[in-house]
Amino acid sequence: MTQSTYPRSTIEFLIREGNVQVLLLKAGELHGHFCPFLALGVRAGLIAMRALGVQENPGMEDVVAILECNNCFSDGVQVVTGCTFGNNALIYRDVGKTAFTLARRDGTAVRVALRAEFVESFRSRLPEEANALFRKIVQEHEEATPEERARLTELWTEASFRQLELPEEEVFTVQHLRIEVPPRSRIFASVRCAICGESVMETRARIRDGQPVCIPCARDAHYRLDGYGISVEG
Ligand SMILES: [Zn+2]
Ligand SMILES: [Zn+2]
């Protein structure tokens, strides 16, 4: 297949070649910046794709990724595996572990997780300047000069590419397992909200006075995924 009909041909070529540096460049296009956990997600994705022998993933749920976190790692996994939030091949479990499982429909699967020792010693292996700027700008959301922001970007980019060189067995645990894969997604009909007039997936509409109404118009509770995990809103 050519690039014009198969958009993942370059990424899958890079996976076959084991070209983790260029895969990280690709992941950066989605993620917006280079950071260590993006790099670790790219590595984890590559390990799982190779261990499960996935040559091609056109995003039709024949292969699914079950993610256990929504941090920077997740974007590396999405780019390399091709299992994404939008193609329904990404299944999110809100358990807060930097880990994911790549599975085929028949349940054969590979789980890749960061080792606890690696996570615990992670900050101490970064330059102190990078840690200090990270605390100030990202963690505490404090005011920073453009020079400080540029310096953090530079240090973080270096740290990101350095993650690619660490021995795999120091960073990850890799397990082959058999799992129950959730069913394929369905296409649901849409209905029109009687209040705002927007189209809404039938299974998400509420009935008010016998009419379908969307959740915001019904002011009904629903789940929300954000940087704190999944919570109920409303
Ligand atoms: Zn990031
Ligand atoms: Zn509405």
Side-chain angles (χ1 to χ4, degrees):
M1 273 186 281
T2 64
Q3 179 84 52
S4 60
T5 58
Y6 189 54
R8 276 182 52 83
S9 57
T10 303
I11 285 176
E12 283 164 4
F13 170 76
L14 295 167
I15 293 171
R16 283 195 297 279
E17 301 281 298
N19 192 337
V20 74
Q21 281 81 12
V22 180
L23 284 170
L24 177 54
L25 294 175
K26 287 270 175 201
E29 291 176 15
L30 173 72
H31 192 59
H33 60 262
F34 294 113
C35 63
F37 273 56
L38 178 69
L40 295 166
V42 166
R43 286 194 71 179
L46 181 60
I47 291 166
M49 291 290 273
R50 296 181 126 201
L52 201 60
V54 178
Q55 297 283 331
E56 211 168 73
N57 180 15
M60 301 303 283
E61 299 177 65
D62 293 323
V63 175
V64 299
I66 300 160
L67 258 169
E68 301 177 32
C69 58
N70 63 332
N71 62 39
C72 304
F73 180 87
S74 316
D75 279 350
V77 169
Q78 288 189 82
V79 168
V80 175
T81 65
C83 299
T84 74
F85 187 70
N87 67 23
N88 290 134
L90 183 74
I91 295 158
Y92 178 63
R93 295 180 72 203
D94 189 10
V95 298
K97 289 174 151 187
T98 303
F100 94 105
T101 299
L102 190 70
R104 292 184 184 277
R105 278 277 133 210
D106 66 4
T108 51
V110 174
R111 182 172 182 271
V112 184
L114 283 190
R115 285 187 186 277
E117 299 79 13
F118 176 80
V119 176
E120 284 157 10
S121 63
F122 177 73
R123 286 288 184 92
S124 67
R125 281 182 286 102
L126 294 174
E128 191 36 48
E129 187 190 5
N131 280 324
L133 286 170
F134 182 83
R135 263 194 303 276
K136 179 174 177 172
I137 298 170
V138 184
Q139 231 165 324
E140 307 296 336
H141 304 287
E142 283 175 25
E143 288 292 315
T145 64
E147 291 74 25
E148 284 175 316
R149 289 184 182 279
R151 183 67 182 140
L152 178 61
T153 302
E154 195 181 334
L155 290 166
W156 227 228
T157 300
E158 282 169 22
S160 177
F161 282 86
R162 265 203 309 277
Q163 305 307 312
L164 306 179
E165 288 153 21
L166 303 171
E168 185 181 310
E169 55 284 358
E170 273 178 31
V171 181
F172 301 102
T173 61
V174 181
Q175 293 166 271
H176 285 260
L177 53 159
R178 184 161 279 279
I179 63 161
E180 196 150 327
V181 177
R184 282 181 190 273
S185 59
R186 283 177 50 195
I187 309 278
F188 293 102
S190 294
V191 293
R192 195 179 281 211
C193 170
I195 296 176
C196 70
E198 288 187 352
S199 187
V200 54
M201 189 165 88
E202 198 172 25
T203 57
R204 289 294 172 277
R206 306 292 184 251
I207 302 296
R208 297 286 182 270
D209 300 324
Q211 299 287 317
V213 171
C214 75
I215 288 173
C217 289
R219 297 181 191 284
D220 203 4
H222 56 279
Y223 294 110
R224 182 177 78 186
L225 172 63
D226 58 28
Y228 295 85
I230 294 174
S231 60
V232 176
E233 177 172 334

mmCIF file of all heavy atoms in Angstrom, residues 96-135:
data_model
loop_
_atom_site.group_PDB
_atom_site.id
_atom_site.type_symbol
_atom_site.label_atom_id
_atom_site.label_comp_id
_atom_site.label_asym_id
_atom_site.label_seq_id
_atom_site.Cartn_x
_atom_site.Cartn_y
_atom_site.Cartn_z
ATOM 1 N N GLY A 96 -4.152 4.676 36.825
ATOM 2 C CA GLY A 96 -2.992 5.472 37.215
ATOM 3 C C GLY A 96 -1.651 4.751 37.224
ATOM 4 O O GLY A 96 -0.785 5.045 38.038
ATOM 5 N N LYS A 97 -1.461 3.808 36.294
ATOM 6 C CA LYS A 97 -0.147 3.164 36.172
ATOM 7 C C LYS A 97 0.406 3.485 34.792
ATOM 8 O O LYS A 97 -0.338 3.426 33.810
ATOM 9 C CB LYS A 97 -0.295 1.647 36.300
ATOM 10 C CG LYS A 97 -0.631 1.176 37.695
ATOM 11 C CD LYS A 97 -0.897 -0.302 37.631
ATOM 12 C CE LYS A 97 -0.559 -0.993 38.924
ATOM 13 N NZ LYS A 97 -0.669 -2.462 38.763
ATOM 14 N N THR A 98 1.686 3.783 34.725
ATOM 15 C CA THR A 98 2.282 4.044 33.422
ATOM 16 C C THR A 98 2.559 2.690 32.774
ATOM 17 O O THR A 98 3.652 2.128 32.898
ATOM 18 C CB THR A 98 3.537 4.924 33.556
ATOM 19 O OG1 THR A 98 3.145 6.136 34.219
ATOM 20 C CG2 THR A 98 4.107 5.284 32.209
ATOM 21 N N ALA A 99 1.523 2.190 32.124
ATOM 22 C CA ALA A 99 1.542 0.829 31.577
ATOM 23 C C ALA A 99 0.458 0.717 30.513
ATOM 24 O O ALA A 99 -0.509 1.481 30.524
ATOM 25 C CB ALA A 99 1.264 -0.178 32.694
ATOM 26 N N PHE A 100 0.631 -0.230 29.612
ATOM 27 C CA PHE A 100 -0.452 -0.526 28.670
ATOM 28 C C PHE A 100 -0.315 -1.944 28.145
ATOM 29 O O PHE A 100 0.747 -2.557 28.230
ATOM 30 C CB PHE A 100 -0.489 0.499 27.531
ATOM 31 C CG PHE A 100 0.273 0.104 26.296
ATOM 32 C CD1 PHE A 100 -0.405 -0.316 25.160
ATOM 33 C CD2 PHE A 100 1.664 0.141 26.268
ATOM 34 C CE1 PHE A 100 0.285 -0.682 24.006
ATOM 35 C CE2 PHE A 100 2.357 -0.222 25.126
ATOM 36 C CZ PHE A 100 1.668 -0.630 23.992
ATOM 37 N N THR A 101 -1.435 -2.452 27.639
ATOM 38 C CA THR A 101 -1.472 -3.791 27.065
ATOM 39 C C THR A 101 -1.887 -3.681 25.609
ATOM 40 O O THR A 101 -2.874 -3.006 25.298
ATOM 41 C CB THR A 101 -2.490 -4.670 27.822
ATOM 42 O OG1 THR A 101 -2.070 -4.753 29.192
ATOM 43 C CG2 THR A 101 -2.573 -6.074 27.234
ATOM 44 N N LEU A 102 -1.145 -4.321 24.733
ATOM 45 C CA LEU A 102 -1.520 -4.392 23.318
ATOM 46 C C LEU A 102 -2.089 -5.785 23.083
ATOM 47 O O LEU A 102 -1.460 -6.779 23.465
ATOM 48 C CB LEU A 102 -0.298 -4.149 22.428
ATOM 49 C CG LEU A 102 -0.583 -3.963 20.938
ATOM 50 C CD1 LEU A 102 -1.279 -2.625 20.675
ATOM 51 C CD2 LEU A 102 0.705 -4.033 20.121
ATOM 52 N N ALA A 103 -3.289 -5.859 22.495
ATOM 53 C CA ALA A 103 -3.943 -7.162 22.351
ATOM 54 C C ALA A 103 -4.536 -7.340 20.961
ATOM 55 O O ALA A 103 -4.977 -6.384 20.329
ATOM 56 C CB ALA A 103 -5.049 -7.294 23.397
ATOM 57 N N ARG A 104 -4.529 -8.582 20.529
ATOM 58 C CA ARG A 104 -5.267 -8.941 19.313
ATOM 59 C C ARG A 104 -6.652 -9.402 19.728
ATOM 60 O O ARG A 104 -6.881 -9.761 20.877
ATOM 61 C CB ARG A 104 -4.557 -10.090 18.582
ATOM 62 C CG ARG A 104 -3.218 -9.712 17.996
ATOM 63 C CD ARG A 104 -2.666 -10.908 17.225
ATOM 64 N NE ARG A 104 -1.330 -10.660 16.691
ATOM 65 C CZ ARG A 104 -1.097 -10.016 15.550
ATOM 66 N NH1 ARG A 104 -2.101 -9.547 14.818
ATOM 67 N NH2 ARG A 104 0.143 -9.853 15.123
ATOM 68 N N ARG A 105 -7.575 -9.449 18.764
ATOM 69 C CA ARG A 105 -8.957 -9.886 19.017
ATOM 70 C C ARG A 105 -9.033 -11.259 19.682
ATOM 71 O O ARG A 105 -9.973 -11.549 20.413
ATOM 72 C CB ARG A 105 -9.745 -9.986 17.704
ATOM 73 C CG ARG A 105 -10.315 -8.725 17.180
ATOM 74 C CD ARG A 105 -11.646 -8.357 17.811
ATOM 75 N NE ARG A 105 -11.552 -6.958 18.169
ATOM 76 C CZ ARG A 105 -12.171 -6.376 19.174
ATOM 77 N NH1 ARG A 105 -13.006 -7.051 19.918
ATOM 78 N NH2 ARG A 105 -11.993 -5.116 19.434
ATOM 79 N N ASP A 106 -8.072 -12.135 19.374
ATOM 80 C CA ASP A 106 -8.124 -13.486 19.954
ATOM 81 C C ASP A 106 -7.642 -13.517 21.405
ATOM 82 O O ASP A 106 -7.586 -14.584 22.018
ATOM 83 C CB ASP A 106 -7.308 -14.480 19.099
ATOM 84 C CG ASP A 106 -5.807 -14.170 19.100
ATOM 85 O OD1 ASP A 106 -5.380 -13.230 19.814
ATOM 86 O OD2 ASP A 106 -5.063 -14.859 18.383
ATOM 87 N N GLY A 107 -7.278 -12.354 21.935
ATOM 88 C CA GLY A 107 -6.896 -12.280 23.346
ATOM 89 C C GLY A 107 -5.411 -12.413 23.621
ATOM 90 O O GLY A 107 -4.975 -12.223 24.752
ATOM 91 N N THR A 108 -4.617 -12.732 22.591
ATOM 92 C CA THR A 108 -3.168 -12.754 22.825
ATOM 93 C C THR A 108 -2.715 -11.313 23.041
ATOM 94 O O THR A 108 -3.156 -10.396 22.330
ATOM 95 C CB THR A 108 -2.378 -13.384 21.657
ATOM 96 O OG1 THR A 108 -2.786 -12.744 20.455
ATOM 97 C CG2 THR A 108 -2.633 -14.863 21.541
ATOM 98 N N ALA A 109 -1.871 -11.120 24.037
ATOM 99 C CA ALA A 109 -1.563 -9.749 24.450
ATOM 100 C C ALA A 109 -0.180 -9.632 25.045
ATOM 101 O O ALA A 109 0.410 -10.617 25.505
ATOM 102 C CB ALA A 109 -2.596 -9.285 25.473
ATOM 103 N N VAL A 110 0.317 -8.403 25.028
ATOM 104 C CA VAL A 110 1.590 -8.080 25.669
ATOM 105 C C VAL A 110 1.375 -6.842 26.525
ATOM 106 O O VAL A 110 0.842 -5.850 26.048
ATOM 107 C CB VAL A 110 2.693 -7.790 24.613
ATOM 108 C CG1 VAL A 110 3.968 -7.313 25.289
ATOM 109 C CG2 VAL A 110 2.975 -9.024 23.778
ATOM 110 N N ARG A 111 1.747 -6.928 27.793
ATOM 111 C CA ARG A 111 1.645 -5.756 28.681
ATOM 112 C C ARG A 111 3.045 -5.224 28.956
ATOM 113 O O ARG A 111 3.953 -5.982 29.310
ATOM 114 C CB ARG A 111 0.962 -6.131 29.995
ATOM 115 C CG ARG A 111 0.796 -4.934 30.943
ATOM 116 C CD ARG A 111 -0.053 -5.310 32.159
ATOM 117 N NE ARG A 111 -0.261 -4.186 33.054
ATOM 118 C CZ ARG A 111 0.538 -3.846 34.072
ATOM 119 N NH1 ARG A 111 1.616 -4.577 34.324
ATOM 120 N NH2 ARG A 111 0.262 -2.805 34.829
ATOM 121 N N VAL A 112 3.190 -3.920 28.759
ATOM 122 C CA VAL A 112 4.466 -3.253 29.007
ATOM 123 C C VAL A 112 4.232 -2.215 30.099
ATOM 124 O O VAL A 112 3.318 -1.396 29.998
ATOM 125 C CB VAL A 112 4.997 -2.562 27.723
ATOM 126 C CG1 VAL A 112 6.374 -1.957 27.975
ATOM 127 C CG2 VAL A 112 5.049 -3.542 26.559
ATOM 128 N N ALA A 113 5.039 -2.263 31.150
ATOM 129 C CA ALA A 113 4.874 -1.330 32.266
ATOM 130 C C ALA A 113 6.219 -0.772 32.679
ATOM 131 O O ALA A 113 7.261 -1.431 32.512
ATOM 132 C CB ALA A 113 4.238 -2.059 33.457
ATOM 133 N N LEU A 114 6.206 0.438 33.227
ATOM 134 C CA LEU A 114 7.445 0.990 33.782
ATOM 135 C C LEU A 114 7.762 0.283 35.093
ATOM 136 O O LEU A 114 6.866 0.066 35.908
ATOM 137 C CB LEU A 114 7.291 2.488 34.063
ATOM 138 C CG LEU A 114 7.346 3.455 32.896
ATOM 139 C CD1 LEU A 114 7.412 4.888 33.437
ATOM 140 C CD2 LEU A 114 8.536 3.194 31.983
ATOM 141 N N ARG A 115 9.005 -0.053 35.296
ATOM 142 C CA ARG A 115 9.419 -0.649 36.568
ATOM 143 C C ARG A 115 9.319 0.382 37.678
ATOM 144 O O ARG A 115 9.701 1.545 37.482
ATOM 145 C CB ARG A 115 10.882 -1.116 36.489
ATOM 146 C CG ARG A 115 11.069 -2.372 35.706
ATOM 147 C CD ARG A 115 12.511 -2.858 35.826
ATOM 148 N NE ARG A 115 12.695 -3.997 34.953
ATOM 149 C CZ ARG A 115 12.370 -5.250 35.284
ATOM 150 N NH1 ARG A 115 11.885 -5.519 36.483
ATOM 151 N NH2 ARG A 115 12.548 -6.227 34.426
ATOM 152 N N ALA A 116 8.880 -0.041 38.847
ATOM 153 C CA ALA A 116 8.755 0.876 39.990
ATOM 154 C C ALA A 116 10.102 1.512 40.328
ATOM 155 O O ALA A 116 10.180 2.712 40.603
ATOM 156 C CB ALA A 116 8.200 0.135 41.200
ATOM 157 N N GLU A 117 11.167 0.723 40.262
ATOM 158 C CA GLU A 117 12.510 1.253 40.588
ATOM 159 C C GLU A 117 12.879 2.377 39.620
ATOM 160 O O GLU A 117 13.502 3.372 40.005
ATOM 161 C CB GLU A 117 13.593 0.154 40.480
ATOM 162 C CG GLU A 117 13.420 -1.031 41.410
ATOM 163 C CD GLU A 117 12.372 -2.037 40.935
ATOM 164 O OE1 GLU A 117 11.938 -1.962 39.764
ATOM 165 O OE2 GLU A 117 11.959 -2.885 41.745
ATOM 166 N N PHE A 118 12.485 2.180 38.367
ATOM 167 C CA PHE A 118 12.785 3.206 37.365
ATOM 168 C C PHE A 118 12.017 4.493 37.671
ATOM 169 O O PHE A 118 12.582 5.587 37.647
ATOM 170 C CB PHE A 118 12.429 2.698 35.959
ATOM 171 C CG PHE A 118 12.623 3.735 34.902
ATOM 172 C CD1 PHE A 118 13.898 3.991 34.398
ATOM 173 C CD2 PHE A 118 11.563 4.483 34.428
ATOM 174 C CE1 PHE A 118 14.093 4.974 33.441
ATOM 175 C CE2 PHE A 118 11.750 5.477 33.470
ATOM 176 C CZ PHE A 118 13.022 5.716 32.975
ATOM 177 N N VAL A 119 10.726 4.358 37.981
ATOM 178 C CA VAL A 119 9.891 5.537 38.277
ATOM 179 C C VAL A 119 10.434 6.258 39.507
ATOM 180 O O VAL A 119 10.568 7.489 39.524
ATOM 181 C CB VAL A 119 8.414 5.127 38.493
ATOM 182 C CG1 VAL A 119 7.570 6.329 38.899
ATOM 183 C CG2 VAL A 119 7.841 4.474 37.234
ATOM 184 N N GLU A 120 10.800 5.496 40.525
ATOM 185 C CA GLU A 120 11.259 6.093 41.785
ATOM 186 C C GLU A 120 12.591 6.844 41.639
ATOM 187 O O GLU A 120 12.822 7.830 42.323
ATOM 188 C CB GLU A 120 11.395 5.006 42.856
ATOM 189 C CG GLU A 120 10.032 4.578 43.392
ATOM 190 C CD GLU A 120 10.046 3.174 44.005
ATOM 191 O OE1 GLU A 120 11.144 2.609 44.193
ATOM 192 O OE2 GLU A 120 8.953 2.660 44.277
ATOM 193 N N SER A 121 13.437 6.376 40.741
ATOM 194 C CA SER A 121 14.757 7.024 40.606
ATOM 195 C C SER A 121 14.787 8.002 39.425
ATOM 196 O O SER A 121 15.820 8.600 39.133
ATOM 197 C CB SER A 121 15.832 5.956 40.409
ATOM 198 O OG SER A 121 15.580 5.258 39.197
ATOM 199 N N PHE A 122 13.625 8.177 38.781
ATOM 200 C CA PHE A 122 13.571 8.944 37.533
ATOM 201 C C PHE A 122 14.079 10.377 37.694
ATOM 202 O O PHE A 122 14.978 10.828 36.987
ATOM 203 C CB PHE A 122 12.137 8.931 37.002
ATOM 204 C CG PHE A 122 11.944 9.745 35.778
ATOM 205 C CD1 PHE A 122 12.430 9.316 34.560
ATOM 206 C CD2 PHE A 122 11.310 10.980 35.848
ATOM 207 C CE1 PHE A 122 12.282 10.087 33.423
ATOM 208 C CE2 PHE A 122 11.160 11.757 34.723
ATOM 209 C CZ PHE A 122 11.640 11.307 33.512
ATOM 210 N N ARG A 123 13.505 11.103 38.673
ATOM 211 C CA ARG A 123 13.868 12.513 38.860
ATOM 212 C C ARG A 123 15.332 12.682 39.231
ATOM 213 O O ARG A 123 15.985 13.626 38.798
ATOM 214 C CB ARG A 123 12.999 13.143 39.951
ATOM 215 C CG ARG A 123 11.570 13.429 39.531
ATOM 216 C CD ARG A 123 11.527 14.609 38.562
ATOM 217 N NE ARG A 123 10.163 14.953 38.231
ATOM 218 C CZ ARG A 123 9.437 15.862 38.881
ATOM 219 N NH1 ARG A 123 9.956 16.495 39.908
ATOM 220 N NH2 ARG A 123 8.210 16.117 38.501
ATOM 221 N N SER A 124 15.847 11.757 40.033
ATOM 222 C CA SER A 124 17.220 11.915 40.511
ATOM 223 C C SER A 124 18.225 11.732 39.376
ATOM 224 O O SER A 124 19.381 12.136 39.499
ATOM 225 C CB SER A 124 17.499 10.923 41.640
ATOM 226 O OG SER A 124 17.481 9.609 41.118
ATOM 227 N N ARG A 125 17.794 11.137 38.269
ATOM 228 C CA ARG A 125 18.713 10.951 37.147
ATOM 229 C C ARG A 125 18.661 12.101 36.137
ATOM 230 O O ARG A 125 19.392 12.115 35.164
ATOM 231 C CB ARG A 125 18.449 9.603 36.469
ATOM 232 C CG ARG A 125 19.078 8.447 37.283
ATOM 233 C CD ARG A 125 18.900 7.088 36.671
ATOM 234 N NE ARG A 125 17.537 6.629 36.830
ATOM 235 C CZ ARG A 125 16.623 6.645 35.896
ATOM 236 N NH1 ARG A 125 16.913 7.069 34.694
ATOM 237 N NH2 ARG A 125 15.409 6.208 36.154
ATOM 238 N N LEU A 126 17.749 13.057 36.377
ATOM 239 C CA LEU A 126 17.688 14.227 35.490
ATOM 240 C C LEU A 126 18.592 15.328 36.051
ATOM 241 O O LEU A 126 18.820 15.380 37.262
ATOM 242 C CB LEU A 126 16.243 14.751 35.431
ATOM 243 C CG LEU A 126 15.202 13.846 34.780
ATOM 244 C CD1 LEU A 126 13.818 14.445 34.950
ATOM 245 C CD2 LEU A 126 15.505 13.634 33.301
ATOM 246 N N PRO A 127 19.086 16.218 35.182
ATOM 247 C CA PRO A 127 19.905 17.322 35.707
ATOM 248 C C PRO A 127 19.085 18.181 36.673
ATOM 249 O O PRO A 127 17.885 18.392 36.438
ATOM 250 C CB PRO A 127 20.267 18.130 34.450
ATOM 251 C CG PRO A 127 19.819 17.346 33.279
ATOM 252 C CD PRO A 127 18.913 16.262 33.734
ATOM 253 N N GLU A 128 19.710 18.653 37.739
ATOM 254 C CA GLU A 128 18.982 19.421 38.760
ATOM 255 C C GLU A 128 18.335 20.668 38.147
ATOM 256 O O GLU A 128 17.226 21.057 38.519
ATOM 257 C CB GLU A 128 19.907 19.773 39.932
ATOM 258 C CG GLU A 128 19.204 20.345 41.158
ATOM 259 C CD GLU A 128 17.816 19.749 41.469
ATOM 260 O OE1 GLU A 128 17.685 18.513 41.473
ATOM 261 O OE2 GLU A 128 16.851 20.518 41.698
ATOM 262 N N GLU A 129 18.994 21.270 37.180
ATOM 263 C CA GLU A 129 18.424 22.457 36.527
ATOM 264 C C GLU A 129 17.082 22.119 35.860
ATOM 265 O O GLU A 129 16.123 22.889 35.932
ATOM 266 C CB GLU A 129 19.422 22.984 35.477
ATOM 267 C CG GLU A 129 19.005 24.312 34.873
ATOM 268 C CD GLU A 129 19.855 24.715 33.668
ATOM 269 O OE1 GLU A 129 20.717 23.911 33.226
ATOM 270 O OE2 GLU A 129 19.634 25.828 33.159
ATOM 271 N N ALA A 130 17.018 20.949 35.246
ATOM 272 C CA ALA A 130 15.774 20.522 34.589
ATOM 273 C C ALA A 130 14.673 20.297 35.624
ATOM 274 O O ALA A 130 13.529 20.729 35.436
ATOM 275 C CB ALA A 130 16.015 19.239 33.788
ATOM 276 N N ASN A 131 15.018 19.661 36.719
ATOM 277 C CA ASN A 131 14.031 19.423 37.788
ATOM 278 C C ASN A 131 13.501 20.727 38.367
ATOM 279 O O ASN A 131 12.300 20.875 38.587
ATOM 280 C CB ASN A 131 14.657 18.588 38.913
ATOM 281 C CG ASN A 131 14.683 17.110 38.563
ATOM 282 O OD1 ASN A 131 13.766 16.599 37.928
ATOM 283 N ND2 ASN A 131 15.726 16.424 38.975
ATOM 284 N N ALA A 132 14.422 21.686 38.601
ATOM 285 C CA ALA A 132 14.025 22.962 39.208
ATOM 286 C C ALA A 132 13.081 23.717 38.266
ATOM 287 O O ALA A 132 12.044 24.244 38.691
ATOM 288 C CB ALA A 132 15.261 23.789 39.524
ATOM 289 N N LEU A 133 13.420 23.764 36.990
ATOM 290 C CA LEU A 133 12.568 24.475 36.034
ATOM 291 C C LEU A 133 11.230 23.757 35.849
ATOM 292 O O LEU A 133 10.182 24.388 35.717
ATOM 293 C CB LEU A 133 13.282 24.619 34.681
ATOM 294 C CG LEU A 133 14.416 25.647 34.630
ATOM 295 C CD1 LEU A 133 15.193 25.520 33.323
ATOM 296 C CD2 LEU A 133 13.870 27.074 34.771
ATOM 297 N N PHE A 134 11.256 22.434 35.879
ATOM 298 C CA PHE A 134 10.021 21.660 35.732
ATOM 299 C C PHE A 134 9.084 21.959 36.893
ATOM 300 O O PHE A 134 7.892 22.211 36.701
ATOM 301 C CB PHE A 134 10.328 20.162 35.666
ATOM 302 C CG PHE A 134 9.102 19.312 35.460
ATOM 303 C CD1 PHE A 134 8.582 19.116 34.184
ATOM 304 C CD2 PHE A 134 8.449 18.715 36.540
ATOM 305 C CE1 PHE A 134 7.436 18.344 33.990
ATOM 306 C CE2 PHE A 134 7.305 17.941 36.355
ATOM 307 C CZ PHE A 134 6.803 17.756 35.070
ATOM 308 N N ARG A 135 9.655 21.942 38.131
ATOM 309 C CA ARG A 135 8.836 22.236 39.316
ATOM 310 C C ARG A 135 8.185 23.607 39.183
ATOM 311 O O ARG A 135 6.994 23.768 39.400
ATOM 312 C CB ARG A 135 9.711 22.218 40.574
ATOM 313 C CG ARG A 135 9.668 20.897 41.340
ATOM 314 C CD ARG A 135 10.256 21.022 42.732
ATOM 315 N NE ARG A 135 11.640 21.519 42.735
ATOM 316 C CZ ARG A 135 12.711 20.733 42.546
ATOM 317 N NH1 ARG A 135 12.581 19.438 42.352
ATOM 318 N NH2 ARG A 135 13.921 21.239 42.561
#
